[in-house]
Amino acid sequence: MASSTPVSASTDLRPVVRTGLTRSPAFVISATVVLIICALAVAPQAFAGWFGHGDPRACDLADSALPPREGHPFGFDVQGCDLYANVIYGARSSVAIALLTTLGTVVVAVVVGCLAGYFRGWTDMLMSRLVDVFLGFPALVGMIVILQTLSTHNEFTVSAVLILFGWPALARVMRGSVLAVVNSEYIAAARGIGAGPVRILLRHVIPNSIGPVAVLAGLNVGGIIAYESALTFLGVGLQTPAISWGVQLNTAQQYFTTSIHLLVFPSIFLTVTVLGFVLLGDALRDAIDPRIR
Amino acid sequence: MSDLLESLPGHDPGAPMLSVEDLQVEFATAHGTVRAVNGVSYAVGAGETLAVLGESGSGKSVTARAVMGIVRAPRGRVTAGAIRLRGVDLLTLPEETRRRLRGTTVAMIFQDALSALNPVLPVGYQIAEMFRYHRGASRREARRRAVEVLDRVRIPSAARRAGDYPHQFSGGMRQRVGIALAIALDPKVIIADEPTTALDVTVQAQIMRLLGEIQREHGTALVLITHDMGVVADIADRVAVMYAGRVVEEAGAHDIYARPAHPYTRALLGAIPRPHLRGKRLAVIPGAPPDMSRPDEGCRFRPRCELAGPGCADAPPLYDVAPGRASACHEWTKVIEG
Amino acid sequence: MSAPVLEARGLVKYYPIGGGPLRRVAGQVKAVDGVDLTLGPGETLGIVGESGCGKSTLAKVLAALERPTAGEVTVCGRPVGRLRGRALRRARRDVQLVFQDPYTSLDPRMTIEAIVREPFEIHRDLAPRGDRRARVRELLETVGLNPDHCGRYPHQFSGGQRQRVGIARALALRPRVLVCDEPVSALDVSVQAQIVNLLERLRDELDLAYVFISHDLSVVQHLADRIAVMYLGKVVEIGGEDDVYRNAGHPYTQALLSAMPVPDPGLRGRREEIVLTGEPPSPIDPPRGCSFHPRCWKADERCRAEPPALTAWRGAGHAVACHRPEVWSPAGGTEGEVSATR
């Protein structure tokens, strides 16, 4: 009786994603926000010039920290540059770091999780203990220490440090999900027809176990942007003359009593972006996870 | 608590112990409404064993769950029909009354006893709970009765094992615990949903024998839901064969095996490997059961039936074939003759 | 008899319990504990036994999916025990496994075509790239599936159809032996008959040999030429269909036969019933002596002390591992029915 509903119907996400997602308002809104942010990152020049002053580097110290006025809806920053253009251009590094870091953590997590879950034994023990060490370590302190010893602080170094401390949680999830898949009969069947470990991992294990990791990574994107801003705010992330929301907020902290707009506008963009990614990840998880549906 | 049943409206000591009348159960799914049970009727008297035989998706378990009142809203609900215990229609009773009848008058044995038991409570405690909740027994008294019940299902050193947790029992012992839970309050009706499907052959024999003994001792009405024609032949007095949400044939056990009156029953019997068929091809039923979300007005077995004709586009009623025998086939005379 | 296609000698498979890096092995599950088997070309060997008797482990060891703890599996004269990597994968081709659960043995994210084509992608010498699609369609047709459905996913098929896909995948490598591990247990009666018939047809058409593992004695009786009865990792009785089903010598075989439900209410009460007490003991700590003695009604001192060896008994090819075998056959109509049709 119970066997009449195939078990796998719930694990195949294609139809679910197609039908369920587009009807969910949370998904539609968050996807729109994320799309807009990505467009800002890819082509800031298309948006920055909307109010006639599209160059973030065209500054006049005479305008330093002036409040919004005609043609400068967000006002000016401390250097006298148009804040609106700066905030638009700031999306690029935030999104770049978010994507780089997400990609990096997922790759590392998938590799480590697969090795640990598939080969078990010593590999598993070493990998799992390594994960435990990283998870037990105060990540923020570690990032600050490492970034302080580095001479260059660009998108790549910041991403690298975020990846270094970001993969363990995902790797643990991946390992669990690999363990569940590896004992499936279709893995035994693949071995039976002579498939080697590489093929089994690439063709069968990873496609069937990456779901939870992908969803979790989506949820993490917002967190990464927030983390990047925090690092920059603490002075160990990106540094001027780089344009990023973190840098802008870092500068704003000294002036916000007198020029509140320096703090408000980058914060709004940061918050909306983080929320957009978190909601998107949430909606994706709800759509895929059969227990929640 | 039989006096509870007697006090309910419609009670009639002459009515069958359990009767299901024209029951319909629907489930809301992503693909629309599925009518899993579509006009099922059967009756079983005290001391009688009715086997409900069917394949996956035939609606046999859903019917049983409807009788127990554990078809869960909002996904599934009973949309029509009646379920009567000695004439009392359960579907008209308030939920509170039904809950008081559950366990005391009608009880269920599940296929997977492990999932029917709470894993974090000792089995003795779970049985004792029944006595405390339904009979208001004291803690000590309830525990004594629980051990007694475990003893009745022949669990060795019952007093000691009452303190064990479900996972500490082997498959067969676990099913005994499941039976103990069902018979604890001497229900008038026991519904056993594939009670031995998960068990080994030698253990299955033990459990079926135990069920038979309990039933004889207490005159219980037993509804045995199964797909195993061998088990049915061993224990059933009467058989109701279900297909695609309907009863297609009902008869005494001997009749149904000797002279089936529905093409589906006949095909099922032909599909069983038997010693004299060795080396020969088994008879098969071509195709697969219908998609329940797309209702068909005619006979649901028509696409797989060798006797199907244009007349089968009209759903056949249950024809009376002989006293106590019925078949939902327009061509039943042809089937029964050959 | 011509040279066997599959042979097992002294096969043993133990699984450590609680073992692992830096952890002590707490014990051994003696899943398969000394099994000898021979399978001739085109022959069907049935293996029956209850859960935990080691029949599924035996299937995996025979199909070289698990390495035996001791003993040797020989496929078409080649011992596979010492092979590694590529050579092992090459050798596995001759023995293919059909799994019990058609719901979990197919990768849910692959189309039917991709599933059946995978063997060709692994063993590229089987069919040139251009022919693979045609071969896949041919295989699907062989197992009775519509080849136009090859773009569908497993969940779009019924249990019986999925089992056919699993069989097509196994056949792709042109094996000599199919090891079927409870291939019909998860299926409904009517579908079960379809698959049983399919397996019979394939055996005749492709000259396959089967190791057919099941707990269902009637299905095994229908298909098998010879039957091995397993109890706690050991073969306790082996012989032809006639030997095992009508002249069983081991008390466990007798109990199994007697407990087998027969779809004939007329036999109720007329069959000799042997209802065993208890359940099979744990394979972690099997009883000393004969492993069946705690449930056996004939057990004596010798059975408790000395494990009986599988020794020839009565006719050729019939062997029983019991100190005091006696002929027994299920009373009642089973026998009469058979003699009537012969």
Side-chain angles (χ1 to χ4, degrees):
Chain A
M1 186 68 227
S3 62
S4 57
T5 42
V7 194
S8 63
S10 53
T11 51
D12 187 17
L13 32 139
R14 252 160 295 230
V16 179
V17 171
R18 215 176 295 137
T19 56
L21 268 186
T22 43
R23 281 195 221 129
S24 135
F27 172 77
V28 175
I29 294 169
S30 58
T32 315
V33 168
V34 167
L35 272 180
I36 291 171
I37 300 295
C38 287
L40 292 185
V42 172
Q45 59 278 12
F47 300 87
W50 277 7
F51 301 98
H53 303 275
D55 186 354
R57 310 253 187 234
C59 314
D60 185 350
L61 268 179
D63 296 329
S64 174
L66 286 182
R69 69 162 188 249
E70 174 100 44
H72 301 274
F74 289 7
F76 297 87
D77 71 5
V78 183
Q79 307 296 325
C81 315
D82 180 53
L83 187 58
Y84 171 71
N86 268 279
V87 169
I88 295 295
Y89 272 85
R92 171 170 281 177
S93 53
S94 291
V95 171
I97 287 174
L99 294 184
L100 267 177
T101 309
T102 304
L103 197 71
T105 45
V106 168
V107 168
V108 176
V110 165
V111 170
V112 170
C114 279
L115 292 180
Y118 187 74
F119 292 105
R120 309 299 309 272
W122 283 101
T123 326
D124 187 18
M125 202 202 68
L126 287 177
M127 301 261 177
S128 300
R129 292 298 87 76
L130 191 65
V131 166
D132 290 346
V133 166
F134 269 98
L135 286 179
F137 201 79
L140 190 60
V141 176
M143 289 188 220
I144 291 170
V145 169
I146 293 177
L147 280 169
Q148 267 180 343
T149 60
L150 291 176
S151 51
T152 46
H153 290 183
N154 57 25
E155 278 91 343
F156 294 101
T157 52
V158 171
S159 298
V161 171
L162 284 169
I163 292 169
L164 182 67
F165 287 94
W167 67 269
L170 285 182
R172 176 170 278 189
V173 172
M174 184 69 189
R175 175 179 172 269
S177 125
V178 167
L179 280 182
V181 168
V182 155
N183 290 324
S184 306
E185 286 207 318
Y186 57 84
I187 302 294
R191 285 173 55 214
I193 54 170
V198 175
R199 182 184 186 88
I200 291 178
L201 281 173
L202 292 181
R203 283 298 296 273
H204 302 284
V205 175
I206 292 178
N208 282 292
S209 57
I210 202 167
V213 171
V215 169
L216 195 58
L219 284 172
N220 278 350
V221 171
I224 293 168
I225 294 179
Y227 241 108
E228 179 267 323
S229 305
L231 288 175
T232 306
F233 178 82
L234 290 169
V236 291
L238 299 180
Q239 280 156 0
T240 41
I243 302 174
S244 97
W245 296 334
V247 173
Q248 286 154 17
L249 290 175
N250 188 23
T251 323
Q253 64 170 323
Q254 298 156 34
Y255 302 95
F256 83 95
T257 45
T258 50
S259 317
I260 188 79
H261 66 277
L262 290 182
L263 189 70
V264 168
F265 292 110
S267 301
I268 290 175
F269 270 68
L270 179 66
T271 311
V272 168
T273 308
V274 170
L275 263 178
F277 275 107
V278 168
L279 283 178
L280 185 65
D282 232 8
L284 274 174
R285 187 196 55 198
D286 289 359
I288 292 169
D289 194 335
R291 285 167 304 182
I292 293 177
R293 243 182 318 130
Chain B
M1 224 171 273
S2 49
D3 44 335
L4 169 64
L5 187 63
E6 276 161 29
S7 67
L8 291 171
H11 180 81
D12 169 12
M17 194 57 242
L18 166 71
S19 70
V20 174
E21 290 159 22
D22 206 22
L23 191 73
Q24 289 190 3
V25 183
E26 292 183 349
F27 286 87
T29 72
H31 309 286
T33 305
V34 172
R35 188 170 287 175
V37 175
N38 188 10
V40 164
S41 304
Y42 56 65
V44 52
E48 193 184 29
T49 299
L50 173 78
V52 178
L53 183 75
E55 300 184 279
S56 4
S58 62
K60 58 189 193 299
S61 293
V62 178
T63 310
R65 284 170 178 271
V67 172
M68 286 303 292
I70 51 176
V71 173
R72 265 186 306 171
R75 281 274 170 107
R77 57 199 193 91
V78 176
T79 48
I83 299 166
R84 295 182 199 279
L85 289 177
R86 285 263 186 259
V88 178
D89 187 355
L90 296 182
L91 297 176
T92 60
L93 296 177
E95 180 53 34
E96 168 61 22
T97 315
R98 288 200 77 178
R99 191 159 53 231
R100 280 165 65 201
L101 287 172
R102 222 173 280 154
T104 60
T105 310
V106 46
M108 188 152 176
I109 299 168
F110 295 87
Q111 172 178 345
D112 179 5
L114 191 59
S115 67
L117 291 164
N118 187 335
V120 298
L121 294 174
V123 299
Y125 180 86
Q126 296 186 49
I127 297 170
E129 277 288 277
M130 306 264 301
F131 289 105
R132 288 171 54 94
Y133 176 77
H134 287 289
R135 295 281 150 86
S138 71
R139 201 174 284 268
R140 175 189 295 264
E141 168 73 2
R143 164 147 180 99
R144 194 184 59 77
R145 302 284 293 274
V147 172
E148 229 174 73
V149 174
L150 286 173
D151 206 43
R152 258 168 70 197
V153 295
R154 295 175 191 75
I155 288 178
S157 41
R160 185 175 54 78
R161 298 229 64 185
D164 284 353
Y165 292 87
H167 72 267
Q168 291 170 297
F169 290 81
S170 65
M173 283 299 152
R174 218 175 265 158
Q175 195 53 282
R176 283 172 195 267
V177 174
I179 294 175
L181 210 54
I183 64 164
L185 303 176
D186 289 325
K188 300 275 184 258
V189 180
I190 294 180
I191 298 173
D193 188 0
E194 304 262 12
T196 59
T197 305
L199 303 177
D200 284 319
V201 194
T202 56
V203 183
Q204 165 172 303
Q206 299 166 4
I207 296 293
M208 289 320 292
R209 174 175 277 199
L210 174 69
L211 265 181
E213 284 170 9
I214 285 168
Q215 185 201 18
R216 273 192 300 280
E217 277 169 35
H218 297 269
T220 319
L222 177 64
V223 179
L224 176 74
I225 292 155
T226 182
H227 68 278
D228 189 326
M229 322 244 334
V231 171
V232 172
D234 270 351
I235 183 168
D237 300 315
R238 300 170 46 72
V239 184
V241 181
M242 283 188 70
Y243 183 78
R246 304 195 63 183
V247 172
V248 293
E249 179 166 4
E250 195 183 341
H254 285 82
D255 291 336
I256 218 161
Y257 283 81
R259 296 201 314 156
H262 193 279
Y264 176 64
T265 319
R266 189 173 67 179
L268 268 186
L269 286 166
I272 309 172
R274 292 166 198 258
H276 66 276
L277 291 173
R278 232 176 91 78
K280 295 182 196 148
R281 298 281 189 261
L282 297 171
V284 301
I285 308 176
D291 181 352
M292 302 295 282
S293 61
R294 288 194 212 105
D296 179 343
E297 283 311 303
C299 170
R300 305 298 304 264
F301 188 60
R302 177 174 45 146
R304 307 174 75 186
C305 182
E306 50 187 4
L307 295 173
C312 300
D314 297 322
L318 264 179
Y319 293 103
D320 282 327
V321 171
R325 283 203 74 173
S327 163
C329 177
H330 296 303
E331 307 289 345
W332 65 267
T333 43
K334 278 189 204 161
V335 184
I336 209 163
E337 274 156 19
Chain C
M1 198 169 84
S2 45
V5 284
L6 182 67
E7 226 181 333
R9 286 281 156 264
L11 220 51
V12 173
K13 179 70 189 177
Y14 290 173
Y15 291 102
I17 307 164
L22 309 183
R23 233 172 294 162
R24 251 194 7 188
V25 174
Q28 305 262 337
V29 178
K30 296 172 179 170
V32 175
D33 201 4
V35 167
D36 300 291
L37 293 173
T38 312
L39 184 71
E43 193 188 20
T44 299
L45 173 68
I47 295 181
V48 296
E50 298 180 277
S51 54
C53 74
K55 54 192 195 301
S56 287
T57 307
L58 180 65
K60 292 208 173 80
V61 176
L62 289 178
L65 280 180
E66 298 268 8
R67 230 168 249 290
T69 311
E72 180 107 88
V73 176
T74 312
V75 177
C76 301
R78 286 193 313 271
V80 292
R82 277 178 288 281
L83 300 179
R84 291 275 188 280
R86 195 170 291 273
L88 174 65
R89 269 175 258 149
R90 178 73 183 70
R92 274 189 193 141
R93 266 159 69 161
D94 283 326
V95 183
Q96 285 297 309
L97 200 57
V98 174
F99 291 85
Q100 168 174 8
D101 188 346
Y103 292 96
T104 60
S105 58
L106 305 177
D107 187 333
R109 285 176 203 283
M110 286 167 77
T111 61
I112 297 309
E113 180 177 7
I115 289 170
V116 180
R117 188 157 67 183
E118 194 172 17
F120 297 113
E121 287 168 4
I122 296 165
H123 303 277
R124 284 157 203 247
D125 54 316
L126 271 175
R129 185 175 290 270
D131 291 357
R132 286 180 195 159
R133 198 181 157 81
R135 283 285 293 136
V136 168
R137 295 179 68 91
E138 199 181 301
L139 280 165
L140 290 177
E141 234 159 48
T142 309
V143 298
L145 287 173
N146 182 348
D148 295 332
H149 292 167
C150 64
R152 296 192 181 176
Y153 287 89
H155 73 262
Q156 294 169 291
F157 290 91
S158 69
Q161 288 171 316
R162 285 157 162 250
Q163 199 56 290
R164 288 172 196 266
V165 175
I167 294 171
R169 170 177 60 192
L171 292 179
L173 298 170
R174 298 178 195 274
R176 304 284 308 277
V177 181
L178 280 192
V179 178
C180 307
D181 183 8
E182 303 260 13
V184 296
S185 308
L187 306 175
D188 279 321
V189 183
S190 68
V191 183
Q192 172 178 317
Q194 295 174 4
I195 299 295
V196 167
N197 283 357
L198 172 68
L199 288 171
E200 279 195 294
R201 202 189 81 217
L202 293 173
R203 177 174 63 189
D204 300 344
E205 286 173 6
L206 306 173
D207 196 27
L208 288 167
Y210 290 143
V211 176
F212 192 93
I213 296 172
S214 182
H215 69 277
D216 184 334
L217 288 111
S218 49
V219 174
V220 170
Q221 182 176 24
H222 188 79
L223 278 167
D225 304 310
R226 287 192 303 133
I227 289 107
V229 181
M230 280 186 79
Y231 189 76
L232 277 185
K234 291 192 169 75
V235 172
V236 296
E237 179 156 11
I238 186 166
E241 186 264 336
D242 203 56
D243 299 327
V244 172
Y245 281 83
R246 268 172 290 271
N247 297 296
H250 197 284
Y252 178 64
T253 315
Q254 296 164 2
L256 271 185
L257 289 171
S258 130
M260 167 178 151
V262 174
D264 182 356
L267 293 178
R268 209 184 285 176
R270 286 176 49 208
R271 296 196 304 148
E272 191 187 329
E273 276 189 68
I274 306 173
V275 177
L276 290 180
T277 52
E279 288 172 60
S282 151
I284 298 166
D285 188 18
R288 293 164 52 86
C290 172
S291 52
F292 185 61
H293 85 252
R295 301 176 78 194
C296 185
W297 60 96
K298 299 199 289 190
D300 61 9
E301 275 316 307
R302 188 175 169 211
C303 302
R304 280 183 272 274
E306 183 188 329
L310 190 65
T311 37
W313 187 64
R314 286 163 49 92
H318 191 184
V320 178
C322 178
H323 292 307
R324 298 195 289 143
E326 285 170 282
V327 177
W328 181 91
S329 78
T334 332
E335 202 161 28
E337 214 175 278
V338 175
S339 47
T341 53
R342 281 208 171 158

